Amino acid sequence: MKFTHITLACALALSGTLAGAQTTGKLKVGLMLPATGTFASLGTAIENGFRLHIAEQGGKLAGREIEFFKVDDESDPSKAVDNATKLVSRDKVDVLVGTVHSGVAMAMAKVAKDTGTMLIVPNAGADAVTGAMCAPHIFRSSFSNWQPGYAMGEVMAKRGHKNVVTITWKYAAGDESVRGFKEAFEKSGGKVVKELALPFPNVEFQALLTEIAAAKPDAVYTFFAGGGAVKFVKDYAGAGLKIKIPLYGAGFLTDGTLEAQGADADGLFTTLHYADSLNTPRDQAFRLAYAKAYKLQPDVYAVQGYDAAQMLSVGLAAVKGDISKKTEFAAALRKAKIDSPRGPFTISASHNPVQDIYLRQVGAKENKSTGIASKALADPGRGCRM
Ligand code: PHB
């Protein structure tokens, strides 16, 4: 009897220690982002935003200091499983945060599923991450590729365009952005007459621009981002197309790129879950803090990084720092309203933001909101079973 009591006491003491180990001590965050290539500056903005939120919390979330482990994923899907596995198995991170490129993010989602590691995606829109690959411990702070595309399909139909050519990179993000666009545009009576694409991250646009000129559509819809978006906008204007055939895009076309695009971007309309001139107290405070910390203006990527950290905060607070409590962590996020600089958003049953999509127009080096194109737009989460 006595012996049993002692054993029980030992067991309790031991389990107390184990639980303690999970709620105190450093929380290891594996940042997997591009530091090189066409998306390098996007990776920097995400990391800046993520660190800004943590700095605002005094360097700790739910009482735990944050320790970073970093890998440059090079936006290369062929290296992605190895890179994510290194963070999980060698560095033993508690949570993976990444990345920009949809193909790389799908590999991260696979590693997260196979190892039970928490994953927060701060950009990549791969529909499957919150669709067929969804899981209780996988979240996104950004968007699905479907979302900005779908919103723009409705906008362009309303603006009276009937025949549209699409042009993008041939990979998940480009394909899905165009698919979302086409779904809404054709439902509203428009027709996609030609779908053009080139391999990621190629920027040899000339032959395709010649095809657009020959097809003479009413307008063009595009998905490009980062360095590729800069060159596309410049080449489109340079080929004399900008004045003949209006160019529209998912907002990545002109986000974080306006300095380099100069006047060639002026007047372009895009759809996105962020804009430069929202003028809300929340956004102004964020923009001021970001500019002070980094001597840079924030963009959508900075916001998504900041919100990935905010989502981690909310989840961790609910489990008092014990990230192994995945069910409670997820339950807290599903109920949460994230106080984002973009405007508050909720998280869908498949863990993607339910958010307003703005229609923006470029002017004076800013993506100015001209209003909300699609209110509280939820990705359909196709194929998600949780
Ligand atoms: C993606 O690959 O999902 C992606 C990349 C860059 C963006 C947006 C989406 O700006």
Side-chain angles (χ1 to χ4, degrees):
M1 194 63 183
K2 209 170 188 182
F3 177 74
T4 314
H5 273 130
I6 290 168
T7 313
L8 194 65
C10 282
L12 283 174
L14 192 66
S15 71
T17 312
L18 285 177
Q22 288 163 342
T23 54
T24 60
K26 291 183 176 168
L27 184 90
K28 296 181 172 186
V29 173
L31 277 185
M32 187 161 150
L33 294 166
T36 51
T38 197
F39 292 156
S41 63
L42 289 57
T44 305
I46 290 168
E47 181 171 349
N48 287 348
F50 194 89
R51 286 181 185 270
L52 178 63
H53 175 70
I54 290 168
E56 287 175 352
Q57 306 306 304
K60 287 185 181 177
L61 300 184
R64 298 185 69 176
E65 258 176 67
I66 306 297
E67 183 175 17
F68 288 101
F69 293 81
K70 286 173 54 166
V71 56
D72 173 9
D73 68 38
E74 303 168 53
S75 296
D76 185 346
S78 74
K79 298 178 183 164
V81 167
D82 279 357
N83 281 330
T85 303
K86 247 184 248 162
L87 288 169
V88 171
S89 303
R90 184 193 63 192
D91 302 327
K92 310 233 172 323
V93 299
D94 296 299
V95 52
L96 283 168
V97 176
T99 186
V100 171
H101 183 288
S102 273
V104 178
M106 283 192 278
M108 292 180 77
K110 182 176 182 328
V111 171
K113 278 177 93 112
D114 290 351
T115 61
T117 310
M118 189 76 71
L119 167 64
I120 304 177
V121 178
N123 180 69
D127 291 343
V129 167
T130 55
M133 300 181 83
C134 75
H137 58 289
I138 296 179
F139 302 89
R140 181 149 50 199
S141 67
S142 51
F143 61 93
S144 72
N145 290 320
W146 180 92
Q147 282 176 311
Y150 189 89
M152 187 49 103
E154 292 183 336
V155 167
M156 287 176 69
K158 268 191 214 131
R159 289 174 74 90
H161 299 306
K162 296 276 182 256
N163 300 308
V164 162
V165 169
T166 63
I167 178 166
T168 189
W169 279 312
K170 184 90 210 118
Y171 83 115
D175 293 346
E176 293 168 359
S177 181
V178 166
R179 212 180 297 149
F181 165 76
K182 190 172 172 178
E183 184 182 329
F185 187 60
E186 298 201 332
K187 200 162 31 181
S188 310
K191 180 98 195 96
V192 172
V193 292
K194 194 171 249 186
E195 297 183 33
L196 301 171
L198 73 172
F200 175 88
N202 287 10
V203 290
E204 302 312 320
F205 300 121
Q206 283 314 325
L208 298 178
L209 292 174
T210 305
E211 276 196 61
I212 292 173
K216 294 193 176 65
D218 299 338
V220 168
Y221 172 77
T222 190
F223 167 90
F224 288 110
V230 170
K231 179 143 192 303
F232 183 76
V233 164
K234 294 192 86 59
D235 286 2
Y236 195 85
L241 289 174
K242 189 180 170 205
I243 44 169
K244 288 191 206 138
I245 306 168
L247 176 65
Y248 296 83
F252 315 105
L253 186 68
T254 57
D255 226 84
T257 56
L258 290 177
E259 212 49 61
Q261 286 163 335
D264 290 340
D266 280 349
L268 295 184
F269 282 100
T270 63
T271 40
L272 203 64
H273 47 289
Y274 189 58
D276 290 323
S277 51
L278 296 176
N279 288 325
T280 57
R282 182 69 184 94
D283 189 46
Q284 279 166 338
F286 165 76
R287 292 179 80 91
L288 199 64
Y290 190 93
K292 228 169 152 179
Y294 304 110
K295 315 282 174 264
L296 281 172
Q297 285 307 311
D299 54 22
V300 69
Y301 308 104
V303 171
Q304 295 169 167
Y306 187 82
D307 291 340
Q310 292 212 85
M311 287 169 66
L312 183 57
S313 276
V314 167
L316 270 184
V319 297
K320 302 195 169 50
D322 184 354
I323 202 164
S324 70
K325 293 187 171 157
K326 296 198 185 78
T327 310
E328 292 95 321
F329 186 104
L333 277 172
R334 290 211 198 114
K335 282 194 304 230
K337 189 177 249 188
I338 305 298
D339 186 19
S340 172
R342 77 189 81 171
F345 69 84
T346 56
I347 293 155
S348 70
S350 54
H351 297 179
N352 191 65
V354 178
Q355 56 193 340
D356 296 344
I357 307 292
Y358 302 98
L359 177 63
R360 308 112 46 90
Q361 187 174 28
V362 177
K365 298 258 169 78
E366 281 207 326
N367 286 291
K368 289 197 171 66
S369 172
T370 67
I372 292 172
S374 198
K375 184 91 194 134
L377 185 63
D379 179 88
R382 290 174 185 135
C384 173
R385 304 268 173 278
M386 261 206 263

